[in-house]
Amino acid sequence: RSFNSQRALEQHEDNSSMHNICDACDVDFSKWSQLVQHWLQSPYHDYCERCDEHFDSPDDLQDHFEEEHTYCDHSERVFDSDQGLHDHRRQSHPDIYCVSCRRMFRNENNLDHHLRSTYHRGRDYDCPGSRCNRAFVSRAAMIQHWETGSMSFRCHSRPSALDRCGLITNPTRLLGSSDAHDTFVMDEWATELSWNGSAYECYACRRTFRTLNGLNSHLHSPAHLEEIYTCPYDWNGCGKEFKVLSAFCQHVESEHCGILRFSGRLNRVIDSISSSRRLTMW
């Protein structure tokens, strides 16, 4: 068709259903749906199809989706309802989506920690301290409370005496050790004599600390303990070694190796070692 003026041609293109023009790209589509697909797929357009609205940047479009629509940022999809989004995440993102909480996580490890938290697991492990009323969701958490919290403890017996079959203890690391080998809090306390002129120095490893309290915290940590606990190969374990019982328990509970399938006997050994401790408040 011919037109008498440029203005008449432009008016025709604007009003005719046969012309669907992207002004920014100067492309004419025969159908509206083709123009919409162009806006959605082109990296030069930030377009919301549901609102038929263009935005100045991808960030502005992302903010719009999150504020105005039911949106999955992992799939970059908009849904008609919360239930639709929930069903999508349950089916498409089961490794990072908590179905019962309807909550997404950054990665699978974060979801795993969430599922093991008090949100989903009861506090079934009570601290046996006479003046402590705290409870924990796992053996590892309870034992770590003893080792690093406001409790001090000593073993009544060596771990090798409680783990007679050497299931989780390394006999070679226990040879020649005293009954206090598994004592977490060392008997020694550093004094002002540890000052070397510029810092407080650990006599065992020569590590230095700015304060005397820092040095004593180091001495009363697992830093100088032997790695006496072992993830047993005989039970499909990985052989990894640990200085403290809580670290071994955390490894078992993480399900990083096949040892958890034998949890019945294993837990009895762990309980026998952990229950041998005499707990006192600081």
Side-chain angles (χ1 to χ4, degrees):
R1 292 181 57 183
S2 299
F3 297 87
N4 296 327
S5 66
Q6 180 66 27
R7 175 57 183 162
L9 172 60
E10 293 174 355
Q11 187 174 8
H12 162 73
E13 291 175 338
D14 289 340
N15 297 334
S16 171
S17 61
M18 298 178 63
H19 298 282
N20 300 276
I21 302 174
C22 175
D23 295 325
C25 299
D26 194 23
V27 180
D28 191 354
F29 297 91
S30 61
K31 296 180 180 179
W32 170 257
S33 60
Q34 293 173 343
L35 175 59
V36 170
Q37 287 304 310
H38 165 73
W39 285 337
L40 291 173
Q41 297 173 11
S42 171
Y44 303 107
H45 298 282
D46 303 295
Y47 174 71
C48 175
E49 180 181 9
R50 294 183 177 237
C51 299
D52 189 21
E53 185 176 356
H54 291 268
F55 293 86
D56 294 331
S57 69
D59 290 340
D60 289 344
L61 177 61
Q62 181 82 10
D63 291 341
H64 168 75
F65 282 149
E66 294 176 354
E67 294 172 4
E68 303 296 335
H69 297 291
T70 307
Y71 179 67
C72 176
D73 56 353
H74 280 76
S75 300
E76 297 184 348
R77 290 181 57 188
V78 175
F79 295 86
D80 293 328
S81 65
D82 289 337
Q83 185 62 42
L85 175 62
H86 171 69
D87 292 339
H88 161 75
R89 286 175 167 172
R90 177 173 53 83
Q91 297 170 9
S92 301
H93 308 295
D95 56 333
I96 56 174
Y97 184 58
C98 178
V99 176
S100 58
C101 295
R102 297 197 173 200
R103 180 179 171 188
M104 290 284 284
F105 291 85
R106 186 180 300 274
N107 53 53
E108 188 173 356
N109 186 55
N110 288 355
L111 173 61
D112 183 63
H113 281 295
H114 167 73
L115 294 176
R116 294 175 184 278
S117 71
T118 54
Y119 289 102
H120 293 279
R121 298 177 59 181
R123 297 178 181 269
D124 298 328
Y125 297 89
D126 297 321
C127 176
S130 60
R131 291 185 292 168
C132 182
N133 297 320
R134 295 187 61 182
F136 302 88
V137 299
S138 67
R139 286 179 176 83
M142 178 176 65
I143 296 171
Q144 189 175 39
H145 162 66
W146 300 348
E147 293 171 347
T148 62
S150 59
M151 311 291 290
S152 65
F153 66 86
R154 297 181 183 275
C155 283
H156 287 306
S157 304
R158 288 171 53 187
S160 57
L162 298 165
D163 182 18
R164 297 182 182 278
C165 298
L167 175 62
I168 65 172
T169 52
N170 186 341
T172 61
R173 297 288 174 85
L174 293 167
L175 291 176
S177 63
S178 67
D179 286 347
H181 175 90
D182 192 42
T183 299
F184 181 81
V185 180
M186 297 174 62
D187 290 334
E188 294 83 358
W189 285 89
T191 66
E192 292 294 339
L193 295 176
S194 300
W195 182 258
N196 64 8
S198 58
Y200 293 95
E201 183 175 326
C202 174
Y203 63 88
C205 64
R206 302 307 178 190
R207 182 178 173 185
T208 58
F209 300 85
R210 291 187 303 169
T211 65
L212 184 59
N213 285 338
L215 173 57
N216 278 317
S217 295
H218 166 73
L219 291 174
H220 288 243
S221 74
H224 298 295
L225 291 182
E226 291 281 354
E227 293 177 332
I228 63 173
Y229 298 104
T230 305
C231 185
Y233 288 115
D234 292 343
W235 280 18
N236 285 1
C238 61
K240 188 174 182 179
E241 296 180 326
F242 305 89
K243 291 183 177 182
V244 291
L245 186 59
S246 63
F248 171 70
C249 290
Q250 287 175 337
H251 172 73
V252 172
E253 292 170 358
S254 71
E255 302 182 22
H256 287 163
C257 65
I259 191 172
L260 191 62
R261 72 186 65 177
F262 304 105
S263 59
R265 183 181 171 193
L266 178 65
N267 286 342
R268 287 194 294 272
V269 173
I270 294 173
D271 288 343
S272 67
I273 295 175
S274 61
S275 64
S276 71
R277 288 161 167 74
R278 171 175 55 84
L279 299 174
T280 57
M281 298 296 292
W282 278 113

